[in-house]
Amino acid sequence: FGTWLSGYAPFFRKDGTRAGVLGVDISANTIAAYRKELITTAIWLFALTVPLIMLVGYLLSTRLTRPILAMKEAAVRFGQGDLESRIDYESPDELGQLAHSLNDMAGKLQTNREEIRRIAEKYRSIFDNALEGIFQTTPQGRFAAANRTMLQLLGYDSLQELQDQVTDVASQIYATPEDRERLIAQLQEEGEVKNFVTQFLRQDGSVFWCE
């Protein structure tokens, strides 16, 4: 009647006849207290387990995101030209292999850049010390480069001085401005220029022939 929980079970003799009925009565208050204890224990277990789960999740996510962030930062540095930096992460997993590949790529790019720099310095030396006058202009008619011989031929002391004073190659360097248009047309049509003879103007206004 709401105050007791009762359970009954028959028991038998060896010959199979029923010997009696075993009954157990438990107070409903005892059941309620036990249930309350179970709920309290479950709440405490949950309260203790959740922070542990969160801590484990944080540690796992940190372990995963740290190398990913390191690789992202390294990729940014590589893109900015800092090819000497490396990703400090060694692991046999896929992230470790990716970090190793990025480091290997950076090493090869660094080697290639140094080789390109060496070749550029070599040809810069050839360019600067050539006995022929060598120059480069933009399609708009401004000087982009000129070696020492070319500067001497035109009568300028430095490339900066040449670039500052000459803003239109056709009218300021070619004695006949149409010759530059003819040269460009030949270059566009044939892909190269050969045996092209014209006259150039020096800074002092004098003229010299060039091929």
Side-chain angles (χ1 to χ4, degrees), residues 14-166:
K14 291 183 178 180
D15 60 5
T17 60
R18 188 170 65 181
V21 176
L22 179 65
V24 178
D25 293 327
I26 302 176
S27 170
N29 292 331
T30 301
I31 296 294
Y34 182 65
R35 183 178 63 182
K36 182 179 180 180
E37 182 180 354
L38 283 177
I39 294 175
T40 303
T41 302
I43 291 174
W44 275 107
L45 286 175
F46 179 77
L48 293 174
T49 304
V50 168
L52 180 62
I53 293 175
M54 293 178 66
L55 177 61
V56 172
Y58 172 76
L59 294 176
L60 288 175
S61 64
T62 301
R63 182 181 178 185
L64 290 174
T65 56
R66 184 181 294 116
I68 293 175
L69 291 175
M71 283 183 266
K72 176 185 176 182
E73 293 172 357
V76 172
R77 292 195 300 270
F78 294 161
Q80 295 173 345
D82 181 13
L83 299 178
E84 296 181 359
S85 62
R86 294 293 183 269
I87 303 171
D88 186 17
Y89 181 76
E90 294 184 4
S91 176
D93 58 15
E94 290 81 358
L95 290 176
Q97 296 175 5
L98 179 58
H100 176 74
S101 299
L102 288 173
N103 286 335
D104 185 57
M105 179 191 71
K108 291 179 179 178
L109 288 174
Q110 184 180 9
T111 300
N112 291 339
R113 185 173 67 179
E114 291 173 355
E115 180 66 14
I116 291 173
R117 184 185 296 116
R118 186 187 65 80
I119 294 174
E121 290 176 354
K122 175 182 177 181
Y123 283 96
R124 167 59 65 178
S125 177
I126 295 174
F127 174 81
D128 287 338
N129 298 303
L131 297 179
E132 295 84 2
I134 304 173
F135 68 97
Q136 182 181 18
T137 61
T138 67
Q140 292 74 29
R142 297 187 64 91
F143 274 97
N147 66 350
R148 294 192 187 97
T149 303
M150 194 67 208
L151 292 173
Q152 292 172 359
L153 288 171
L154 294 175
Y156 293 88
D157 294 328
S158 67
L159 176 61
Q160 187 63 52
E161 181 186 11
L162 177 65
Q163 291 174 327
D164 290 341
Q165 296 189 22
V166 178

